[in-house]
Amino acid sequence: MTDGYGRMTPSQWPASLLPHSPHPAPRLARVSGEPPTPVTQPFMPPLAEYLPYLEVIWANRWLTNSGPLHQQLEAALEAHLGVSHLSLVSNGTTALWLALQALKIGGEVITTPFSFVATAHALRLVGATPVFVDIDEHDCNLSPAAIEPALTERTSAILPVHCFGHPCDVTAIGQVADIYDLKVIYDAAHAFGVQVVGQSVLSHGDLSTLSFHATKVFNTVEGGAIISPDARTKARIDRLRNFGFVDDMTMASPSINGKLNEFQAGFGLLQLGYMDRILARRAQISARYHAALGDVAGIVSFRMDDAVRPNHSYFPVLVTQDYPMDADALCARLHAAGIMARRYFHPLICDMPGYRDLPSARQPLPVARRIARQILCLPIHPNLSDDLVDRAIGILADV
Ligand SMILES: *Cc1c(COP(=O)(O)O)cnc(C)c1O
C-alpha cells in the first residue's frame, strides 16, 4: 500500500531501511533521579507527530538547500508573525552576521552591553567596533537618549536588542537614526511574536534578526531568521546565506553557509502549530509570578505597557537593596533547592575579555551596571508546573 503520493508507508520499508536492523539500538544516556528545574526548557511536541515530517524528507530526498519544508516554514512564519520577506538561517548569530554584511556595516556601531554575547560578537565578526551605551531601567533596553552623545564620524549603525522581549523605543531610536543617517538592526532574538498596538515589533529598523535556538520561545533546535523590508533585500540575504550564489553558475560575493535544513524546518512547522498553547501557558506562569511577587519587598518585576502583546520569553526580576540578600545569594539559594534561576545578563558584555579594553567599556554605564548586579531570571517554560512556580515564589518570599 502506498499513500496518496505513491510513497511506501513505514510498515512496507525494506528491513534494511528500518532503524533496528541490522544495527543495534544506541544506548542513550538518560537523565535519572529528580532533575533540577531549568530556567527554560524546549517544548517538544509528541514524537509521533514529527514522524510524518521525516517521511516527507525521506520521500523527497531533499535534506537542505531551501527544500519544500524550508519554503513552507518561511511562508508559515511570515503569516504567523505578520511580516513579509523572512529568510531562514542556521542560527541567530549567523542572522546578525548576515544582516550586518547585507548592509555593509563597519566602523562604530552603538549597542547595548546588557545582552547575550552574540550581539557584540557579530559586530566583531564583521570588523565593526561595538560602542556600548547605557540602558533604561524600565525595559533593560538601549537608552535612546544615550545614542547621540556616543556618535562619532565613524558611527554607521545602531544595534539594539529587544531584551527579554521588551520592545525597544523604536520611535525614538528611528528619529536619531534618521537625523544622523544611521542604519538600525534590531537583535530580536527574544521578541518572537511580540506586538505593539497590533503590529509586529519585527517591522522596525532596516533589518531584524531572530534566534530559534532550543532555549528560545520558538525553536528549530538551532536556527534563526532575518526580516527584510522588501523583496530585493531578502533576495540579497538569501544569496549571502548560500555562499553568495545568485544561481547555479554565478557567485556574486564571498559569503558563508548559513542554511537551515529540512529536519529543522519540519520541527519548526510542527512547533508553530503549538505556539498559541505555548504562549498561553507562559502567560499563566508570568501572571502567577506577578501576583505573588508584588508583595515581596525588595523584588521588582517588569510590567509592560498595555499596548504590548508580550511573549513571556523570560521572567526577569531585580533584587534591590531593600531585599535581605543580593541577587547572587538568592540565585544560589534557588539552585540549592534545584531551581536553576539564571543571572542573564551578568556580567555585562563590556566587562568581558575582548570588550573590556574598548573606550566605551570604561564609561560608567550606571544603569546597566546596577541592573546587571540586581538581575535574576526565574524559570519560565511551557512544561513548568504551578507547584514549581510556587516553590520558587516561596523561596523568594521566605527570606
Ligand atoms: C540567543 C541569542 C542570540 C544568538 O542566537 P543563536 O541562535 O544562539 O546563535 C543573539 N542575541 C541574543 C540577544 C540572544 O539571546
Side-chain angles (χ1 to χ4, degrees):
M1 209 177 73
T2 58
D3 66 10
Y5 301 97
R7 291 172 310 192
M8 287 186 288
T9 58
S11 59
Q12 295 171 288
W13 289 350
S16 60
L17 285 183
L18 292 176
H20 59 261
S21 167
H23 307 289
R27 284 185 177 280
L28 297 180
R30 289 191 188 231
V31 183
S32 60
E34 206 204 320
T37 301
V39 72
T40 186
Q41 196 174 61
F43 174 77
M44 305 284 286
L47 180 59
E49 294 180 19
Y50 187 50
L51 298 182
Y53 291 92
L54 294 180
E55 287 181 37
V56 166
I57 294 169
W58 255 254
N60 291 335
R61 290 192 178 248
W62 194 338
L63 305 185
T64 185
N65 287 7
S66 198
L69 293 175
H70 180 282
Q71 291 171 33
Q72 206 177 323
L73 182 59
E74 281 193 345
L77 282 171
E78 287 173 353
H80 181 91
L81 296 169
V83 297
S84 313
H85 319 299
L86 180 145
S87 303
L88 287 170
V89 296
S90 52
N91 60 62
T93 308
T94 303
L96 283 167
W97 185 89
L98 286 167
L100 297 168
Q101 285 290 111
L103 299 174
K104 300 189 165 65
I105 301 299
E108 296 178 358
V109 178
I110 309 285
T111 191
T112 169
F114 189 73
S115 180
F116 181 60
V117 290
T119 309
H121 284 3
L123 293 172
R124 285 295 208 197
L125 290 170
V126 299
T129 304
V131 174
F132 299 109
V133 299
D134 210 359
I135 62 173
D136 271 340
E137 62 179 348
H138 67 277
D139 59 10
C140 301
N141 288 331
L142 184 156
S143 167
I147 298 172
E148 210 167 350
L151 298 177
T152 72
E153 66 282 5
R154 306 209 308 128
T155 312
S156 64
I158 310 169
L159 175 56
V161 179
H162 301 295
C163 194
F164 303 135
H166 303 162
C168 288
D169 185 345
V170 292
T171 310
I173 292 170
Q175 275 164 5
V176 185
D178 280 350
I179 293 170
Y180 294 98
D181 191 22
L182 304 170
K183 301 285 188 202
V184 183
I185 302 100
Y186 283 104
D187 180 345
H190 301 175
F192 185 94
V194 173
Q195 294 182 350
V196 183
V197 281
Q199 200 195 2
S200 172
V201 78
L202 304 171
S203 54
H204 298 282
D206 293 281
L207 291 169
S208 289
T209 65
L210 290 166
S211 165
F212 303 151
H213 184 255
T215 52
K216 304 300 205 273
V217 165
F218 167 82
N219 89 86
T220 56
V221 189
E222 296 269 5
I226 301 165
I227 290 88
S228 298
D230 51 58
R232 219 172 125 243
T233 311
K234 172 172 159 58
R236 179 145 27 106
I237 302 251
D238 290 352
R239 291 196 294 274
L240 287 172
R241 76 176 167 197
N242 188 29
F243 309 99
F245 279 114
V246 180
D247 56 43
D248 288 358
M249 300 303 292
T250 327
M251 202 288 293
S253 64
S255 191
I256 54 165
N257 173 357
K259 295 181 299 254
L260 192 90
N261 66 51
E262 289 291 277
F263 293 80
Q264 295 169 294
F267 192 81
L269 282 165
L270 177 56
Q271 178 128 184
L272 202 55
Y274 282 93
M275 271 326 283
D276 289 348
R277 273 170 277 182
I278 290 171
L279 289 186
R281 179 61 193 144
R282 283 178 172 275
Q284 281 174 350
I285 294 169
S286 180
R288 203 171 180 90
Y289 276 134
H290 271 304
L293 294 178
D295 299 333
V296 181
I299 298 289
V300 172
S301 49
F302 295 84
R303 276 189 193 276
M304 286 297 95
D305 206 289
D306 284 345
V308 177
R309 190 191 75 173
N311 66 3
H312 309 287
S313 46
Y314 298 84
F315 197 91
V317 297
L318 297 179
V319 184
T320 69
Q321 63 280 4
D322 300 331
Y323 194 74
M325 60 176 72
D326 66 11
D328 261 337
L330 179 56
C331 191
R333 215 183 172 111
L334 287 161
H335 285 200
I339 296 168
M340 308 315 279
R342 293 289 299 268
R343 302 221 35 231
Y344 301 137
F345 291 98
H346 168 86
L348 296 175
I349 302 174
C350 60
D351 292 334
M352 292 182 181
Y355 298 103
R356 61 189 171 210
D357 295 329
L358 290 171
S360 65
R362 293 196 291 264
Q363 299 296 306
L365 308 171
V367 181
R369 293 213 150 86
R370 174 171 61 80
I371 301 275
R373 238 183 356 262
Q374 298 181 336
I375 197 76
L376 185 67
C377 288
L378 299 175
I380 185 164
H381 57 80
N383 320 319
L384 191 63
S385 68
D386 283 351
D387 274 359
L388 281 164
V389 175
D390 292 346
R391 263 174 62 192
I393 292 167
I395 291 167
L396 265 72
D398 183 37
V399 172

